[in-house]
Amino acid sequence: MIPFLFTLLVLFGGFTGFRLMQKKALHRRLLTSPLTEEQRRIVADQVPLTKQLPPQIAPKLEGKINLFLHQTEIIGCAGLEVTEPMRLSIAAQACLLIANSDAWYKSLRTILVYPGAFKSRQTSHDGFIVNETSEIRLGESWAFGPVVLSWPHSAQGGLDEKDGQNLVLHEFAHQLDNLSGSTNAVPLLSKGQSFAEWERVMLDAFARHEDNVAKGRKTVIDAYGAENHQEFFAVIIEAFFEKPAKLQAEEPDVYAQLSKLLHLDPVNWG
Ligand SMILES: [Zn+2]
């Protein structure tokens, strides 16, 4: 009996290992495959910022878009029909954020897309009392997925690459933040990046931002970033991609930290 069980275990282990190898090989193939000409044209039209990527990074973005579309299901809600250009726009913006880094949205499987702003329900517990509140939102990012998006705002964020507002980059900044295990504005840092330095730069910049917002002073960083550290991280990501020169001028240390984190330098793109 024992030899039989042993053989079964070895066979099962071998099968699982084989499946894992197959999965890894498929992922490698997707990551190194280019988009079709048609897909490339759609991505360039929907997310013009991708046209500015340095030539050595552009193929990495295409590979990541392939893997993203393979791994996730993009579901239309409230009657919205999800088309190929929609899928490519969302995937391109989400992957632009991590185009040149080792980070990957490994737990993300579902993206829900609404035809506009949507009602989000939150439940909180206070002892035996359950409180339910609802809020109208344009986007939402849950720890380890899903991500919820308003399509018109996602599309507009991709089409206008210079207004400093990008809903998809914002929500996926929360996903990136969460890869460290908690959404707390401390993402998994790059090799050689110092946690102490990250913390010092971000806390200083956040305090300055809170002060600017309280005094009504407009800066390159969206006022919403003063809500908390997580939202601050998401809005500086938007500024990093869409107003890089201004962010570098106003907050050079923040720009430098994000550049190290993402291995990107958008000031020099285009
Ligand atoms: Zn947010």
Side-chain angles (χ1 to χ4, degrees):
M1 190 66 181
I2 286 172
F4 173 71
L5 276 177
F6 181 73
T7 312
L8 215 59
L9 274 174
V10 168
L11 280 174
F12 180 72
F15 179 71
T16 311
F18 178 68
R19 289 293 300 268
L20 208 65
M21 270 165 56
Q22 267 189 325
K23 195 174 155 191
K24 276 189 176 169
L26 172 64
H27 284 190
R28 259 199 310 275
R29 202 173 68 233
L30 288 166
L31 283 172
T32 50
S33 298
L35 296 176
T36 63
E37 278 304 319
E38 175 67 359
Q39 287 176 319
R40 192 172 291 152
R41 187 188 59 72
I42 294 171
V43 166
D45 285 351
Q46 300 277 326
V47 193
L49 194 55
T50 58
K51 289 188 280 187
Q52 294 180 22
L53 273 178
Q56 71 277 17
I57 302 177
K60 295 185 187 179
L61 174 71
E62 293 198 358
K64 285 182 174 170
I65 292 173
N66 281 323
L67 180 56
F68 187 93
L69 292 175
H70 167 78
Q71 179 184 298
T72 62
E73 194 179 1
I74 303 179
I75 301 169
C77 301
L80 183 75
E81 192 189 324
V82 175
T83 62
E84 182 69 357
M86 288 177 176
R87 283 161 39 83
L88 283 165
S89 169
I90 291 167
Q93 294 178 72
C95 292
L96 181 62
L97 179 60
I98 52 165
N100 201 34
S101 84
D102 291 334
W104 183 247
Y105 311 117
K106 56 183 185 295
S107 307
L108 182 69
R109 294 291 178 274
T110 310
I111 296 156
L112 302 172
V113 189
Y114 280 83
F118 54 90
K119 199 183 254 185
S120 167
R121 283 192 182 81
Q122 280 97 43
T123 310
S124 60
H125 297 263
D126 181 9
F128 292 108
I129 302 165
V130 178
N131 295 309
E132 261 208 26
T133 52
S134 66
E135 227 178 81
I136 300 296
R137 288 191 174 170
L138 304 179
E140 207 168 66
S141 166
W142 291 75
F144 310 109
V147 171
V148 191
L149 298 166
S150 151
W151 167 244
H153 298 87
S154 302
Q156 185 53 30
L159 288 169
D160 189 338
E161 78 275 38
K162 288 191 179 131
D163 65 353
Q165 310 267 316
N166 187 305
L167 177 67
V168 179
L169 282 174
H170 181 107
E171 299 307 335
F172 278 84
H174 289 313
Q175 288 285 307
L176 177 67
D177 185 1
N178 189 251
L179 293 178
S180 62
S182 60
T183 315
N184 58 358
V186 186
L188 286 172
L189 299 178
S190 292
K191 219 170 166 191
Q193 215 175 354
S194 145
F195 170 73
E197 185 70 358
W198 173 274
E199 197 181 34
R200 183 189 63 76
V201 167
M202 294 301 163
L203 289 179
D204 282 1
F206 179 73
R208 246 185 327 273
H209 186 56
E210 269 190 316
D211 191 43
N212 284 331
V213 171
K215 290 179 176 147
R217 282 195 294 254
K218 269 195 170 294
T219 69
V220 66
I221 302 171
D222 193 293
Y224 183 54
E227 286 278 310
N228 55 45
H229 293 159
Q230 300 93 289
E231 296 307 334
F232 182 71
F233 177 68
V235 299
I236 58 174
I237 288 283
E238 291 180 79
F240 178 76
F241 282 94
E242 298 216 344
K243 290 186 181 287
K246 220 165 172 217
L247 182 66
Q248 194 183 41
E250 290 183 18
E251 290 287 353
D253 291 347
V254 167
Y255 181 90
Q257 285 298 318
L258 293 180
S259 185
K260 276 185 200 166
L261 174 76
L262 303 171
H263 300 277
L264 294 172
D265 193 15
V267 153
N268 294 313
W269 289 359

